[in-house]
Amino acid sequence: MLEIMGYVAGALTTLAFIPQVLQIYRTKSAKDVSLAMFLLFTVGVALWLGYGIMAHSFPVVAANATTLVLSFVILYFKWKYTRSSNI
């Protein structure tokens, strides 16, 4: 039961980022996304991923690896669309 709860929690917290990624992609704007917050968040997720790997916890690894990818996508969009608006 504990493992199932880990998978469900990981899936829900990871899926929560998809609407933000889609919103940024559709509007081509990430001006309302805090760069500092997302940088700190991404470092935290990377540390959780490392923890999951060292603890051999697949739910933690799976959720944080996916979240890390989505975080990098948001940071990329932030960089791309901020650059585009300054040209």
Side-chain angles (χ1 to χ4, degrees):
M1 183 63 171
L2 185 61
E3 188 102 353
I4 291 170
M5 188 164 63
Y7 283 110
V8 171
L12 292 174
T13 55
T14 299
L15 291 173
F17 281 85
I18 293 174
Q20 184 68 59
V21 170
L22 294 175
Q23 176 73 13
I24 293 170
Y25 180 74
R26 279 190 211 117
T27 63
K28 306 290 188 246
S29 173
K31 68 180 175 73
D32 293 328
V33 174
S34 168
L35 180 59
M37 185 285 265
F38 249 89
L39 286 172
L40 290 170
F41 176 79
T42 302
V43 170
V45 169
L47 291 171
W48 271 115
L49 176 59
Y51 169 83
I53 291 168
M54 288 187 278
H56 305 285
S57 176
F58 186 75
V60 174
V61 170
N64 286 288
T66 306
T67 302
L68 191 60
V69 169
L70 292 170
S71 293
F72 279 132
V73 169
I74 290 172
L75 287 170
Y76 169 74
F77 283 160
K78 176 73 173 168
W79 172 79
K80 179 182 178 181
Y81 297 136
T82 301
R83 243 181 96 225
S84 297
S85 67
N86 290 334
I87 294 176

